[in-house]
């Protein structure tokens, strides 16, 4: 049996109260194993990003339980861990708008999470260089984000997400701001990461064309998660 | 990784412009410090430079600098006779505006007993001290005259025999030293037309007195002329071991005059004539420092707000709060320190060109620097508050 990285049981998220209550997520159950490539599909407003925020410990769920990498990180009594430290050490993020730090070069953007986990100096430089080479963007290492194309920025962002040897990569609409060719390339990279690094990858997208080859595709509608046969 | 440094590097031009702007503001703060100190130094310079044991002035007066004091010249003989007094010298001081070298100049005249009396210039930087009873002067270098120059004052022309850099007057203007009688003459001696007019007016008054014959009226003219042997203070040097307080007490009790030590005289000025302008300058110092801190706060806040999405991303990828605090604080402190150094540099190359004395003291610079640093930290609080309450979800467009 494959090692389970993420397990979500009965997760709910309710915003507001009384007649203003909005049930963004309802009784979500999900299991993600090492190397799994999972897609969360759904239209705008279906709760995809809310789910991502709950998994990444940014938004506190209303109910349910989350186990991550062998420890319970959320249960009915609240958070069980230092959330920021967990994100820093075990989770990687890829965003729709790349979100590179604009005053840092591509390489420095990759060095940032390494420095945050205490890897510095030559060791950090080597790791950053390897990641940029892996993403085939090493030739633009010293360029500022503003001088990179959308696709190049996204590859740097993925390199940054992998810098901490993430156990789980969460990607929020990573292809939304790219054309089809570049979007497909980014998805290929995410698949490669899952296969070669055995990193679990959860991709939130609304584009059905981008999820071919994924291990599990879930459909989120009205806050409820349904497994779609692939 | 030093995020603050990388941000500064990326926005070099804007940071340099800000540093120059805030730096010039610090220049004004430091100039105001110097003006504040210079005002006190100038205002008390002549007192401290003259430095007798006692200043004897008119009774009930805080003269001769803080208010007017007028004494008959011969009083110094009475003071000389007080037990414990080694030397008592007449002293006169007043401010004039006269033509020097074709330009109207504002300066003060000190008249003293040039033959061994107190109150003369202590340091002659060129030429010599006054050596004869009349028509010689020693001028402060700020007057811009040279040894050998001849300067007309009143009815006579005086030769500059020496230059001094001892003291300026309370307004920062140069001081000219004359013999006592020359100084009295410059101050009191009217020109011939005025003398004739005054005599005619007095004679008419005397003729109108029925108890005086015309001949008696003519004889009374000379003794009724105003006395110009008037001084403003008597400078006293006491014999060794004599108590200043006791000697001053004796002068007050038996001669019906006021006597102050040099320290008292300085205090009279600081609490009197110099008090309001000193407070004004102090207020300006504080206000300008506050303005500098507010401007730094606004700049740091603006820089922080521009990075708010990056801060959200940093939080999302797990950057601890202290990393964000460090970035904002470093920028604020860097801006404060470099701007202060710019201010220091500019004031040190320009202070001598200010019309009033700008006295830069290392102690003031250090205090201002420390206050500026504390201000820089306080200034970053608004930016920090915003940075720390930024939600990481903002990075996801939430």
């Amino acid at each position: 049996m494959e090692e389970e990285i993420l397990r979500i049981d009965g997760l709910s998220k309710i915003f507001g109260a009384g007649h203003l209550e909005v049930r963004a997520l309802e009784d979500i159950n999900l299991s993600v194993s090492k190397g799994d490539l999972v897609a969360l599909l759904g239209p705008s407003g279906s709760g995809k990003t809310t789910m991502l925020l709950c998994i990444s410990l940014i938004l506190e769920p209303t109910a349910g339980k989350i186990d991550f990498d062998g420890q319970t990180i959320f249960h009915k009594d609240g958070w069980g861990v230092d959330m920021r430290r967990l994100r820093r050490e075990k989770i990687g993020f890829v965003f729709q708008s790349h979100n590179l730090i604009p005053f840092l070069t591509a390489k420095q953007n990759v060095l940032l999470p390494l420095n945050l986990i205490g890897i510095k100096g030559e060791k950090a430089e080597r790791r950053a260089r390897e990641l940029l080479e892996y993403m085939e963007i090493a030739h633009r290492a010293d360029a500022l984000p503003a001088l990179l194309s959308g696709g190049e920025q996204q590859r740097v962002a993925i390199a940054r997400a992998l810098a901490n040897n993430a156990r789980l990569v969460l990607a929020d609409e990573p292809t939304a701001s790219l054309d089809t060719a570049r979007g497909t390339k980014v998805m290929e990279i995410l698949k490669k990461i899952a296969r070669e690094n055995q990193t679990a990858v959860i991709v939130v997208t609304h584009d059905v064309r981008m999820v071919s080859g994924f291990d599990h595709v879930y459909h989120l509608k009205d806050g409820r998660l349904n497994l779609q046969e692939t | 990784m030093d995020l603050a440094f990388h941000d500064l590097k990326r926005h070099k031009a804007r940071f340099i412009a800000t540093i120059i702007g805030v730096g010039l503001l610090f220049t004004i703060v430091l100039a105001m410090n110097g003006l504040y100190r210079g005002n006190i130094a100038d205002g008390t310079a002549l007192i401290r430079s003259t430095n007798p044991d006692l200043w004897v002035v008119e009774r009930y007066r805080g003269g001769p600098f803080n208010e007017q004091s007028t004494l008959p010249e011969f009083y110094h003989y009475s003071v000389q006779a007080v037990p414990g007094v080694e030397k008592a010298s007449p002293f006169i001081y007043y401010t004039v505006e006269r033509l020097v070298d074709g330009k109207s100049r504002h300066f003060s005249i000190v008249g003293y007993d040039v033959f061994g009396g107190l109150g003369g210039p202590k340091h002659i930087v060129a030429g010599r001290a006054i050596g004869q009873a009349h028509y010689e002067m020693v001028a402060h270098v700020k007057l811009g005259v040279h040894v050998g120059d001849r300067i007309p004052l009143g009815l006579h022309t005086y030769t500059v025999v020496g230059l001094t850099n001892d003291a300026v007057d309370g307004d920062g203007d140069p001081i000219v030293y004359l013999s006592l009688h020359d100084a009295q003459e410059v101050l009191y001696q009217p020109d011939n037309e005025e003398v004739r007019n005054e005599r005619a007016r007095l004679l008419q008054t005397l003729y109108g007195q029925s108890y005086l014959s015309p001949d008696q009226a003519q004889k009374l003219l000379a003794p009724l002329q105003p006395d110009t042997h008037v001084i403003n203070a008597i400078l006293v040097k006491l014999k060794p071991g004599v108590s200043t307080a006791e000697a001053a007490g004796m002068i007050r009790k038996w001669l019906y005059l006021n006597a102050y030590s040099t320290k008292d005289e300085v205090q009279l000025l600081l609490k009197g004539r110099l008090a309001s302008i000193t407070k004004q300058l102090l207020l300006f110092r504080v206000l300008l420092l506050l303005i500098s801190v507010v401007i730094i706060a606004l700049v740091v806040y603006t820089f922080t707000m521009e990075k708010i999405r990056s801060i959200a991303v940093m939080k999302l990828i797990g950057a601890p709060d202290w990393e964000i605090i460090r970035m904002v604080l470093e920028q604020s402190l860097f801006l404060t320190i470099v701007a202060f150094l710019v201010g220091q540099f500019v004031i040190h190359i320009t202070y001598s060109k200010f019309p009033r004395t700008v006295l830069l003291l290392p102690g003031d610079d250090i205090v201002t620097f420390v206050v500026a640093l504390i201000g820089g930290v306080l200034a970053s609080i608004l930016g920090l508050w915003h940075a720390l309450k930024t939600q990481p979800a903002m990075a996801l467009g939430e």
Side-chain angles (χ1 to χ4, degrees):
Chain A
M1 189 186 167
E2 285 182 353
E3 190 186 332
E4 193 176 52
I5 286 291
L6 177 72
R7 181 175 187 83
I8 298 173
D9 291 315
L11 184 82
S12 298
K13 177 65 190 174
I14 301 168
F15 292 106
H19 67 283
L20 293 173
E21 183 178 288
V22 176
R23 291 178 172 271
L25 298 173
E26 261 197 292
D27 196 26
I28 302 287
N29 297 294
L30 179 69
S31 173
V32 180
S33 298
K34 207 172 169 181
D36 266 359
L37 191 57
V38 177
L40 291 179
L41 277 173
S44 180
S46 60
K48 301 188 300 291
T49 302
T50 302
M51 187 166 163
L52 215 56
L53 289 170
C54 287
I55 296 172
S56 58
L57 316 174
I58 290 166
L59 211 54
E60 187 172 355
T62 311
K65 183 176 174 234
I66 305 173
D67 292 329
F68 176 71
D69 200 26
Q71 72 180 129
T72 300
I73 58 170
F74 179 80
H75 49 82
K76 60 182 172 47
D77 297 326
W79 304 116
V81 290
D82 175 350
M83 300 164 289
R84 224 184 273 189
R85 183 174 177 180
L86 196 79
R87 289 204 298 271
R88 184 161 70 231
E89 292 176 351
K90 295 184 176 179
I91 301 176
F93 291 91
V94 180
F95 310 96
Q96 175 181 339
S97 51
H98 326 309
N99 276 345
L100 296 176
I101 310 287
F103 51 86
L104 299 179
T105 63
K107 188 173 78 181
Q108 287 164 345
N109 264 284
V110 181
L111 281 170
L112 179 62
L114 287 167
N115 288 175
L116 290 177
I117 55 171
I119 302 172
K120 290 176 181 170
E122 184 49 38
K123 195 176 170 191
E125 290 275 339
R126 197 168 51 245
R127 172 94 178 123
R129 206 164 41 242
E130 282 168 6
L131 284 165
L132 290 171
E133 277 165 11
Y134 185 63
M135 290 295 128
E136 297 168 11
I137 191 74
H139 61 290
R140 305 302 310 272
D142 295 322
L144 287 166
L147 301 174
L148 299 173
S149 70
E152 286 174 329
Q153 286 190 45
Q154 200 59 297
R155 277 187 277 160
V156 175
I158 296 170
R160 180 177 68 183
L162 295 175
N164 58 353
N165 271 323
R167 309 280 282 159
L168 172 68
V169 168
L170 299 171
D172 184 33
E173 303 271 11
T175 59
S177 60
L178 303 175
D179 58 35
T180 310
R182 287 198 174 94
T184 309
K185 173 78 179 161
V186 165
M187 282 303 190
E188 290 305 320
I189 291 169
L190 291 172
K191 283 176 198 167
K192 187 176 152 189
I193 290 163
R195 303 289 174 251
E196 292 178 2
N197 300 356
Q198 288 295 292
T199 305
V201 178
I202 299 178
V203 178
V204 162
T205 181
H206 64 275
D207 192 345
V208 190
R209 295 168 303 168
M210 292 290 172
V211 297
S212 65
F214 275 57
D215 298 320
H216 310 285
V217 177
Y218 290 92
H219 200 86
L220 196 61
K221 193 178 176 193
D222 299 330
R224 289 185 177 277
L225 194 65
N226 300 301
L227 181 64
Q228 185 177 300
E229 292 304 323
T230 54
Chain B
M1 182 186 298
D2 195 332
L3 293 166
F5 167 74
H6 287 295
D7 188 30
L8 295 180
K9 207 170 132 191
R10 174 94 173 87
H11 300 104
K12 243 181 287 174
R14 200 166 42 146
F15 266 97
I16 289 170
T18 309
I19 280 166
I20 290 172
V22 179
L24 290 177
L25 203 56
F26 274 126
T27 303
I28 301 172
V29 175
L30 293 168
M32 210 50 82
N33 283 350
L35 284 170
Y36 171 78
R37 295 289 178 196
N39 185 57
I40 293 171
D42 282 356
T44 58
L46 184 59
I47 301 174
R48 287 181 290 103
S49 155
T50 308
N51 195 26
D53 292 327
L54 286 174
W55 297 77
V56 178
V57 296
E58 193 180 345
R59 201 178 190 193
Y60 308 126
R61 296 289 178 106
F65 303 106
N66 194 45
E67 61 174 310
Q68 181 67 18
S69 154
T70 312
L71 298 168
E73 186 186 325
F74 67 86
Y75 270 30
H76 76 271
Y77 295 116
S78 308
V79 175
Q80 178 76 63
V82 171
V85 172
E86 184 180 316
K87 190 184 280 183
S89 304
F91 179 86
I92 188 167
Y93 168 85
Y94 55 92
T95 301
V96 294
E97 180 148 351
R98 298 291 157 90
L99 282 177
V100 175
D101 231 3
K103 286 180 206 159
S104 182
R105 296 296 307 270
H106 200 258
F107 56 94
S108 291
I109 290 175
V110 166
Y112 71 106
D113 174 4
V114 296
F115 299 112
L118 305 171
K122 292 272 165 44
H123 305 105
I124 301 291
V125 293
R128 59 169 174 82
I130 296 171
Q132 62 183 44
H134 290 291
Y135 313 128
E136 287 188 349
M137 69 155 69
V138 168
H140 192 280
V141 287
K142 270 183 90 173
L143 192 63
V145 295
H146 304 95
V147 174
D149 284 358
R150 290 172 57 75
I151 314 292
L153 292 173
L155 300 177
H156 303 287
T157 299
Y158 297 81
T159 304
V160 179
V161 295
L163 297 176
T164 179
N165 60 2
D166 269 358
V168 288
D169 69 11
D171 296 324
D173 291 324
I175 285 176
V176 164
Y177 291 88
L178 297 176
S179 72
L180 182 71
H181 294 127
D182 281 353
Q184 286 168 331
E185 196 170 295
V186 171
L187 180 61
Y188 297 116
Q189 197 67 63
D191 64 24
N192 293 343
E193 286 306 317
E194 200 178 334
V195 172
R196 274 194 285 273
N197 281 344
E198 181 60 22
R199 278 187 181 171
R201 190 194 62 76
L202 189 57
L203 203 54
Q204 283 303 312
T205 307
L206 293 173
Y207 284 159
Q209 309 305 314
S210 54
Y211 52 84
L212 290 174
S213 68
D215 192 41
Q216 284 173 318
Q218 283 284 356
K219 281 180 182 166
L220 274 172
L221 253 184
L224 285 176
Q225 287 306 306
D227 183 13
T228 59
H229 292 282
V230 171
I231 56 172
N232 300 126
I234 298 159
L235 310 183
V236 174
K237 185 183 177 192
L238 298 173
K239 288 175 183 164
V242 174
S243 153
T244 309
E246 274 180 29
M250 204 170 287
I251 290 167
R252 281 189 207 108
K253 187 175 179 185
W254 298 109
L255 299 182
Y256 308 112
L257 297 172
N258 240 351
Y260 298 104
S261 67
T262 291
K263 199 174 155 192
D264 293 338
E265 196 67 38
V266 168
Q267 285 306 312
L268 276 177
L269 263 189
L270 292 180
K271 289 177 183 167
R273 201 156 62 84
L274 295 180
S276 56
I277 185 69
T278 307
K279 275 182 201 156
Q280 184 95 317
L281 289 171
L282 187 68
L283 189 68
F284 270 123
R285 283 168 87 184
V286 175
L287 274 178
L288 283 167
L289 206 54
L290 279 176
I291 291 168
S292 308
V293 170
V294 169
I295 289 176
I296 294 172
L298 281 174
V299 170
V300 171
Y301 180 73
T302 310
F303 285 158
T304 308
M305 290 311 288
E306 283 175 1
K307 286 194 290 287
I308 215 73
R309 198 172 175 91
S310 296
I311 288 170
V313 172
M314 284 169 67
K315 283 186 164 184
L316 190 71
I317 65 175
D321 280 343
W322 62 261
E323 193 77 43
I324 292 155
I325 292 170
R326 197 182 80 165
M327 178 174 72
V328 177
L329 262 185
E330 270 183 12
Q331 288 195 343
S332 180
L333 291 179
F334 178 81
L335 186 66
T336 309
I337 291 168
V338 179
F340 185 84
L341 292 177
V342 168
Q344 273 278 8
F345 174 74
V346 175
I347 192 64
H348 275 92
I349 58 168
T350 57
Y351 80 99
S352 59
K353 296 179 176 60
F354 278 65
R356 290 295 302 258
T357 304
V358 176
L359 187 61
L360 301 172
L361 300 179
D364 278 350
D365 290 355
I366 291 168
V367 169
T368 309
F369 181 62
V370 170
V371 172
L373 272 188
I374 295 169
V377 173
L378 293 177
S380 56
I381 286 177
L382 191 61
L384 277 174
W385 176 71
H386 251 278
L388 292 179
K389 82 177 181 71
T390 300
Q391 293 300 316
M394 183 191 261
L396 293 172
E398 286 292 298

